[in-house]
Amino acid sequence: MSFLVFINDLPSCVSAGTKTRLFAEINSVEDQIILQTDLDAISRWNQDWQMNFNTDKCFKMNFTTKKTIKTSPNTLCQKTLEATHSHPYLGLKFCDNLRWKEHISEVTNSCKKILGVIRRNFKACPTYIKSCLYLSLIQPKLTYESAAWIPSTNEERHQLDMIQRSAARLCYNNYSREASVTQMLNQLEWPSLDTCRLITRLSLMYRITHNLVDIDWQDPLTRPTRMTRRHHPSSIRVNSATYANSFFPWTIPHWNGLPHDILDIPDYKNFKTAIRDYLN
């Protein structure tokens, strides 16, 4: 199957200026017309190459914070695309209201099941064994791709933190109401989930500013125009404060607050080690 031929030929059938991506940015009625025109072109391309799209797995989702939006139906291969409120993609649950409540609920429910398995099968194991199980099976799920999402309410943060606190009780087989879970967490030396998310975001910020990932950051961000005691050559200024919990607006203040000796580290691995030591 000449998959590369298909991929290379696909962009040539859509409108000039259109890129074949996962998402389409629609700002006007004209954009909606262009989108449907391109979907029709892709449908013809699909027929010409005899490569059938699985339209049962194709959905339409409008990302917006507006209460009401005007949209027109879209069809692909003579099938109207079903509108959906949320949809999973690469391990994340995206919602049309740009919130992560459903994703966090799915993650915490999955972690509760794993905790139940550990509780039933490893109850008699030493504390360090159960700690290793948490760090390898549960914590990665709680922080997976946390550069892209973050709990926006205290309730969502509490949902995630309760998983870690339940795991600490499990490690010590101590479910007494008088027991201090905070003391258990300190003895286990587990970093807080807030710290884990911050490390993930700062690490990605380092990779972006050092061109280690293919993300264009020059448009939304700029370097400070003049150096002061608060600024450093690696400091960054956000051009827009829209969506304060999204990656750049949320991460930049933490990035600019890092010590100069950490920002000057030329190697990514050493930078990540220094960040962990600094935050823990």
Side-chain angles (χ1 to χ4, degrees):
M1 176 178 176
S2 301
F3 188 74
L4 290 177
V5 175
F6 293 149
I7 294 300
N8 289 333
D9 185 65
L10 178 56
S12 65
C13 73
V14 298
S15 305
T18 298
K19 297 180 180 179
T20 50
R21 299 283 180 87
L22 179 66
F23 305 103
E25 183 177 354
I26 305 299
N27 297 315
S28 63
V29 176
E30 290 73 17
D31 288 343
Q32 294 184 18
I33 296 174
I34 293 174
L35 175 60
Q36 184 55 56
T37 301
D38 290 335
L39 289 174
D40 293 339
I42 292 175
S43 298
R44 292 191 296 271
W45 174 90
N46 168 75
Q47 186 175 4
D48 293 340
W49 284 94
Q50 297 182 3
M51 178 180 176
N52 296 324
F53 290 124
N54 188 349
T55 54
D56 291 335
K57 293 185 178 180
C58 295
F59 299 91
K60 173 184 176 181
M61 182 161 56
N62 298 303
F63 293 93
T64 180
T65 56
K66 296 180 180 180
K67 293 183 178 180
T68 59
I69 56 173
K70 295 181 180 180
T71 61
S72 56
N74 296 108
T75 60
L76 177 65
C77 299
Q78 299 181 345
K79 179 182 177 180
T80 301
L81 295 179
E82 179 184 350
T84 182
H85 163 69
S86 60
H87 198 268
Y89 180 68
L90 296 179
L92 298 179
K93 189 68 173 290
F94 289 90
C95 293
D96 58 4
N97 60 4
L98 301 175
R99 296 187 179 277
W100 298 100
K101 183 176 181 179
E102 289 191 21
H103 172 73
I104 290 172
S105 294
E106 288 199 359
V107 168
T108 52
N109 288 336
S110 175
C111 290
K112 287 177 183 177
K113 294 177 182 178
I114 299 175
L115 277 175
V117 173
I118 297 175
R119 186 178 295 111
R120 290 190 298 270
N121 296 281
F122 298 91
K123 183 177 181 179
C125 290
T127 298
Y128 78 92
I129 294 293
K130 288 181 280 190
S131 176
C132 288
L133 289 171
Y134 166 78
L135 293 175
S136 59
L137 299 178
I138 297 177
Q139 189 190 73
K141 295 178 73 68
L142 294 172
T143 58
Y144 174 74
E145 293 297 342
S146 55
W149 65 275
I150 196 168
S152 57
T153 65
N154 290 332
E155 179 185 357
E156 293 172 356
R157 185 174 287 103
H158 178 72
Q159 273 186 275
L160 296 165
D161 288 342
M162 284 304 296
I163 297 296
Q164 188 176 58
R165 295 175 71 86
S166 297
R169 286 185 177 276
L170 184 151
C171 286
Y172 287 103
N173 284 330
N174 190 341
Y175 300 94
S176 170
R177 290 185 178 182
E178 287 74 25
S180 172
V181 181
T182 301
Q183 184 177 358
M184 296 180 196
L185 291 170
N186 291 335
Q187 291 174 349
L188 290 166
E189 297 183 345
W190 291 348
S192 70
L193 296 180
D194 284 336
T195 299
C196 292
R197 288 189 288 266
L198 180 55
I199 291 174
T200 299
R201 289 197 162 199
L202 290 174
S203 298
L204 178 58
M205 195 71 207
Y206 180 94
R207 296 170 65 197
I208 291 173
T209 56
H210 287 73
N211 299 316
L212 299 178
V213 291
D214 187 17
I215 296 178
D216 182 15
W217 60 277
Q218 300 292 344
D219 181 34
L221 309 176
T222 57
R223 298 293 190 186
T225 55
R226 61 189 181 89
M227 293 296 107
T228 67
R229 285 182 298 175
R230 293 186 178 183
H231 287 126
H232 178 270
S234 295
S235 297
I236 295 173
R237 183 164 57 90
V238 185
N239 295 337
S240 172
T242 306
Y243 306 118
N245 283 328
S246 60
F247 178 77
F248 285 124
W250 191 93
T251 309
I252 295 303
H254 299 281
W255 173 265
N256 291 341
L258 291 176
H260 294 181
D261 57 336
I262 293 181
L263 290 172
D264 288 334
I265 295 176
D267 179 72
Y268 171 68
K269 184 177 180 180
N270 291 334
F271 171 83
K272 199 166 184 179
T273 301
I275 283 291
R276 285 174 176 158
D277 293 341
Y278 174 73
L279 295 176
N280 291 328

